[in-house]
Short mmCIF file of all heavy atoms in Angstrom, two decimals:
data_model
loop_
_atom_site.label_atom_id
_atom_site.label_comp_id
_atom_site.label_asym_id
_atom_site.label_seq_id
_atom_site.Cartn_x
_atom_site.Cartn_y
_atom_site.Cartn_z
N TRP A 64 107.61 103.27 102.81
CA TRP A 64 108.25 103.01 104.12
C TRP A 64 108.14 101.54 104.44
O TRP A 64 107.04 101.01 104.57
CB TRP A 64 107.62 103.82 105.24
CG TRP A 64 107.63 105.35 104.97
CD1 TRP A 64 108.48 105.99 104.12
CD2 TRP A 64 106.88 106.34 105.61
NE1 TRP A 64 108.24 107.36 104.16
CE2 TRP A 64 107.28 107.61 105.05
CE3 TRP A 64 105.82 106.30 106.59
CZ2 TRP A 64 106.68 108.83 105.47
CZ3 TRP A 64 105.28 107.47 107.00
CH2 TRP A 64 105.66 108.70 106.41
N THR A 66 109.79 99.72 107.14
CA THR A 66 109.68 99.37 108.60
C THR A 66 109.32 100.65 109.31
O THR A 66 110.16 101.47 109.67
CB THR A 66 111.03 98.86 109.11
OG1 THR A 66 111.45 97.71 108.30
CG2 THR A 66 110.94 98.46 110.55
N TRP A 67 108.03 100.86 109.54
CA TRP A 67 107.54 102.13 110.07
C TRP A 67 106.70 102.01 111.33
O TRP A 67 106.54 102.94 112.13
CB TRP A 67 106.78 102.90 109.02
CG TRP A 67 105.60 102.10 108.52
CD1 TRP A 67 105.54 101.22 107.48
CD2 TRP A 67 104.25 102.18 109.02
NE1 TRP A 67 104.31 100.67 107.29
CE2 TRP A 67 103.46 101.29 108.24
CE3 TRP A 67 103.60 102.84 110.05
CZ2 TRP A 67 102.10 101.02 108.49
CZ3 TRP A 67 102.26 102.67 110.30
CH2 TRP A 67 101.53 101.78 109.49
N LEU A 68 106.08 100.83 111.52
CA LEU A 68 105.01 100.78 112.52
C LEU A 68 105.48 100.96 113.93
O LEU A 68 104.84 101.67 114.75
CB LEU A 68 104.32 99.34 112.40
CG LEU A 68 103.10 99.10 113.23
CD1 LEU A 68 102.09 100.31 113.17
CD2 LEU A 68 102.41 97.81 112.81
N ASP A 69 106.64 100.42 114.30
CA ASP A 69 107.12 100.62 115.72
C ASP A 69 107.43 102.11 115.98
O ASP A 69 107.20 102.64 117.07
CB ASP A 69 108.32 99.72 115.97
CG ASP A 69 107.91 98.33 116.28
OD1 ASP A 69 107.39 98.14 117.38
OD2 ASP A 69 108.15 97.41 115.41
N VAL A 70 108.05 102.76 114.96
CA VAL A 70 108.35 104.18 115.10
C VAL A 70 107.05 105.00 115.21
O VAL A 70 106.95 105.94 116.06
CB VAL A 70 109.18 104.67 113.92
CG1 VAL A 70 109.50 106.16 114.08
CG2 VAL A 70 110.52 103.85 113.83
N TRP A 71 106.07 104.65 114.46
CA TRP A 71 104.76 105.33 114.57
C TRP A 71 104.16 105.13 115.97
O TRP A 71 103.65 106.09 116.50
CB TRP A 71 103.82 104.67 113.53
CG TRP A 71 102.39 105.09 113.65
CD1 TRP A 71 101.34 104.37 114.14
CD2 TRP A 71 101.81 106.33 113.27
NE1 TRP A 71 100.15 105.04 114.12
CE2 TRP A 71 100.41 106.33 113.55
CE3 TRP A 71 102.33 107.53 112.76
CZ2 TRP A 71 99.58 107.37 113.32
CZ3 TRP A 71 101.49 108.58 112.47
CH2 TRP A 71 100.08 108.48 112.79
N ARG A 72 104.30 103.92 116.54
CA ARG A 72 103.69 103.70 117.85
C ARG A 72 104.54 104.18 119.03
O ARG A 72 104.05 104.73 120.02
CB ARG A 72 103.52 102.20 118.03
CG ARG A 72 102.32 101.59 117.32
CD ARG A 72 102.18 100.10 117.58
NE ARG A 72 100.87 99.59 117.23
CZ ARG A 72 100.49 98.30 117.43
NH1 ARG A 72 101.37 97.43 117.93
NH2 ARG A 72 99.29 97.93 117.10
N LYS A 73 105.93 104.05 118.92
CA LYS A 73 106.75 104.23 120.08
C LYS A 73 107.73 105.41 119.92
O LYS A 73 108.37 105.81 120.91
CB LYS A 73 107.57 102.91 120.29
CG LYS A 73 106.73 101.67 120.55
CD LYS A 73 107.59 100.46 120.54
CE LYS A 73 106.75 99.19 120.58
NZ LYS A 73 107.56 97.94 120.46
N GLY A 74 107.80 105.96 118.74
CA GLY A 74 108.62 107.18 118.62
C GLY A 74 110.09 106.95 118.53
O GLY A 74 110.59 105.95 118.03
N GLU A 75 110.82 107.90 119.18
CA GLU A 75 112.28 107.96 118.98
C GLU A 75 113.02 106.72 119.54
O GLU A 75 114.03 106.35 118.94
CB GLU A 75 112.80 109.24 119.72
CG GLU A 75 114.23 109.60 119.29
CD GLU A 75 114.50 111.07 119.67
OE1 GLU A 75 113.62 111.78 120.08
OE2 GLU A 75 115.67 111.47 119.54
N ASP A 76 112.51 106.10 120.60
CA ASP A 76 113.18 104.88 121.06
C ASP A 76 113.20 103.81 120.02
O ASP A 76 114.24 103.15 119.80
CB ASP A 76 112.49 104.38 122.32
CG ASP A 76 112.75 105.26 123.55
OD1 ASP A 76 113.76 106.07 123.49
OD2 ASP A 76 112.05 105.15 124.54
N ALA A 77 112.12 103.69 119.29
CA ALA A 77 112.06 102.66 118.23
C ALA A 77 112.91 103.07 117.04
O ALA A 77 113.54 102.29 116.42
CB ALA A 77 110.60 102.45 117.79
N ALA A 78 112.93 104.35 116.77
CA ALA A 78 113.76 104.88 115.66
C ALA A 78 115.20 104.54 115.90
O ALA A 78 115.93 104.10 114.99
CB ALA A 78 113.52 106.34 115.45
N LYS A 79 115.65 104.75 117.15
CA LYS A 79 117.07 104.48 117.44
C LYS A 79 117.35 102.98 117.42
O LYS A 79 118.47 102.60 117.07
CB LYS A 79 117.35 105.00 118.86
CG LYS A 79 117.40 106.51 118.98
CD LYS A 79 117.68 106.97 120.39
CE LYS A 79 117.74 108.49 120.48
NZ LYS A 79 117.91 108.95 121.84
N TYR A 80 116.36 102.22 117.76
CA TYR A 80 116.60 100.71 117.78
C TYR A 80 116.70 100.20 116.33
O TYR A 80 117.61 99.41 116.04
CB TYR A 80 115.42 100.03 118.51
CG TYR A 80 115.47 98.50 118.47
CD1 TYR A 80 116.32 97.83 119.34
CD2 TYR A 80 114.71 97.83 117.57
CE1 TYR A 80 116.42 96.42 119.26
CE2 TYR A 80 114.77 96.40 117.50
CZ TYR A 80 115.60 95.75 118.37
OH TYR A 80 115.69 94.34 118.29
N TYR A 81 115.73 100.58 115.54
CA TYR A 81 115.72 100.09 114.13
C TYR A 81 116.68 100.74 113.22
O TYR A 81 117.18 100.11 112.26
CB TYR A 81 114.25 100.18 113.54
CG TYR A 81 113.33 99.13 114.04
CD1 TYR A 81 112.38 99.51 115.04
CD2 TYR A 81 113.40 97.83 113.60
CE1 TYR A 81 111.52 98.50 115.55
CE2 TYR A 81 112.51 96.89 114.11
CZ TYR A 81 111.58 97.22 115.04
OH TYR A 81 110.70 96.25 115.52
N PHE A 82 116.99 102.04 113.44
CA PHE A 82 117.85 102.77 112.55
C PHE A 82 118.92 103.48 113.37
O PHE A 82 118.98 104.73 113.38
CB PHE A 82 116.98 103.80 111.80
CG PHE A 82 115.76 103.21 111.16
CD1 PHE A 82 114.49 103.50 111.70
CD2 PHE A 82 115.83 102.38 110.06
CE1 PHE A 82 113.34 102.93 111.19
CE2 PHE A 82 114.67 101.82 109.52
CZ PHE A 82 113.41 102.13 110.08
N LEU A 90 116.67 108.73 107.97
CA LEU A 90 115.60 108.26 108.73
C LEU A 90 114.25 108.62 108.06
O LEU A 90 113.30 107.77 108.03
CB LEU A 90 115.64 108.84 110.17
CG LEU A 90 114.59 108.30 111.18
CD1 LEU A 90 114.80 106.81 111.38
CD2 LEU A 90 114.70 109.02 112.47
N GLN A 91 114.18 109.76 107.53
CA GLN A 91 112.99 110.18 106.80
C GLN A 91 112.69 109.26 105.60
O GLN A 91 111.60 108.83 105.31
CB GLN A 91 113.08 111.63 106.31
CG GLN A 91 111.83 112.13 105.59
CD GLN A 91 112.03 113.49 104.99
OE1 GLN A 91 112.92 113.69 104.18
NE2 GLN A 91 111.22 114.48 105.37
N CYS A 93 113.60 106.17 105.37
CA CYS A 93 113.22 104.76 105.80
C CYS A 93 111.80 104.76 106.35
O CYS A 93 111.10 103.78 106.04
CB CYS A 93 114.22 104.32 106.91
SG CYS A 93 115.85 103.91 106.27
N CYS A 94 111.41 105.71 107.12
CA CYS A 94 110.06 105.65 107.75
C CYS A 94 109.38 106.95 107.99
O CYS A 94 108.41 107.02 108.75
CB CYS A 94 110.15 104.83 109.02
SG CYS A 94 111.05 105.59 110.32
N GLY A 95 109.93 107.98 107.42
CA GLY A 95 109.24 109.29 107.50
C GLY A 95 109.63 110.22 108.63
O GLY A 95 109.24 111.36 108.65
N GLY A 96 110.43 109.73 109.56
CA GLY A 96 110.78 110.54 110.69
C GLY A 96 111.03 109.73 111.96
O GLY A 96 110.94 108.50 111.94
N LYS A 97 111.28 110.41 113.08
CA LYS A 97 111.63 109.74 114.30
C LYS A 97 110.42 109.52 115.20
O LYS A 97 110.52 108.91 116.28
CB LYS A 97 112.73 110.42 115.11
CG LYS A 97 112.40 111.79 115.58
CD LYS A 97 113.61 112.39 116.35
CE LYS A 97 113.32 113.75 116.86
NZ LYS A 97 113.18 114.81 115.86
N ASN A 98 109.25 110.02 114.84
CA ASN A 98 108.02 109.94 115.67
C ASN A 98 106.79 110.19 114.75
O ASN A 98 106.92 110.55 113.59
CB ASN A 98 108.05 110.90 116.87
CG ASN A 98 108.25 112.30 116.50
OD1 ASN A 98 107.65 112.80 115.50
ND2 ASN A 98 109.14 113.02 117.17
N ALA A 99 105.64 110.01 115.33
CA ALA A 99 104.42 110.08 114.56
C ALA A 99 104.22 111.47 113.98
O ALA A 99 103.78 111.59 112.80
CB ALA A 99 103.19 109.72 115.45
N ALA A 100 104.57 112.52 114.77
CA ALA A 100 104.40 113.86 114.22
C ALA A 100 105.20 114.16 113.01
O ALA A 100 104.72 114.70 111.99
CB ALA A 100 104.78 114.87 115.36
N GLU A 101 106.50 113.69 113.03
CA GLU A 101 107.33 113.87 111.84
C GLU A 101 106.84 113.02 110.65
O GLU A 101 106.93 113.45 109.50
CB GLU A 101 108.77 113.48 112.17
CG GLU A 101 109.44 114.51 113.09
CD GLU A 101 110.98 114.25 113.26
OE1 GLU A 101 111.48 113.35 112.67
OE2 GLU A 101 111.59 114.99 114.03
N MET A 102 106.36 111.81 110.94
CA MET A 102 105.84 110.98 109.91
C MET A 102 104.64 111.61 109.23
O MET A 102 104.54 111.53 107.97
CB MET A 102 105.49 109.59 110.46
CG MET A 102 106.68 108.84 111.01
SD MET A 102 106.29 107.43 112.00
CE MET A 102 105.96 106.21 110.75
N HIS A 127 103.98 96.55 106.27
CA HIS A 127 105.06 96.71 107.17
C HIS A 127 105.78 95.46 107.36
O HIS A 127 105.22 94.40 107.45
CB HIS A 127 104.51 97.19 108.56
CG HIS A 127 105.54 97.10 109.63
ND1 HIS A 127 106.37 98.13 110.02
CD2 HIS A 127 105.88 96.05 110.43
CE1 HIS A 127 107.15 97.70 111.02
NE2 HIS A 127 106.91 96.45 111.29
N GLU A 129 109.86 94.06 109.11
CA GLU A 129 111.22 94.26 109.54
C GLU A 129 112.16 93.55 108.50
O GLU A 129 111.73 92.54 107.90
CB GLU A 129 111.50 93.67 110.96
CG GLU A 129 110.97 94.58 112.06
CD GLU A 129 109.49 94.28 112.32
OE1 GLU A 129 108.84 93.54 111.59
OE2 GLU A 129 108.94 94.81 113.28
N TYR A 140 103.79 91.60 113.54
CA TYR A 140 102.42 92.16 113.45
C TYR A 140 101.57 91.34 112.48
O TYR A 140 101.99 90.91 111.44
CB TYR A 140 102.42 93.60 113.04
CG TYR A 140 103.08 94.48 114.04
CD1 TYR A 140 104.34 95.04 113.80
CD2 TYR A 140 102.50 94.85 115.25
CE1 TYR A 140 104.98 95.86 114.72
CE2 TYR A 140 103.10 95.63 116.14
CZ TYR A 140 104.31 96.17 115.93
OH TYR A 140 104.97 96.98 116.82
N GLU A 148 96.78 100.68 111.99
CA GLU A 148 97.67 101.78 112.19
C GLU A 148 97.84 102.60 110.95
O GLU A 148 97.97 103.84 111.04
CB GLU A 148 99.00 101.26 112.71
CG GLU A 148 98.95 100.47 114.00
CD GLU A 148 98.54 101.36 115.20
OE1 GLU A 148 98.67 102.60 115.10
OE2 GLU A 148 98.12 100.80 116.19
N MET A 152 97.21 106.63 110.45
CA MET A 152 98.16 107.61 109.90
C MET A 152 97.58 108.40 108.77
O MET A 152 97.75 109.65 108.66
CB MET A 152 99.39 106.87 109.40
CG MET A 152 100.50 107.79 108.83
SD MET A 152 101.72 106.95 107.79
CE MET A 152 102.49 105.95 109.02
#
Side-chain angles (χ1 to χ4, degrees):
W64 300 342
T66 305
W67 59 272
L68 186 47
D69 281 289
V70 179
W71 171 255
R72 282 182 164 181
K73 303 171 187 175
E75 196 162 350
D76 288 342
K79 290 177 179 177
Y80 175 79
Y81 283 103
F82 312 106
L90 186 62
Q91 183 187 56
C93 288
C94 67
K97 65 178 182 292
N98 55 43
E101 289 189 2
M102 295 166 82
H127 164 92
E129 284 86 354
Y140 296 107
E148 298 295 339
M152 182 197 295

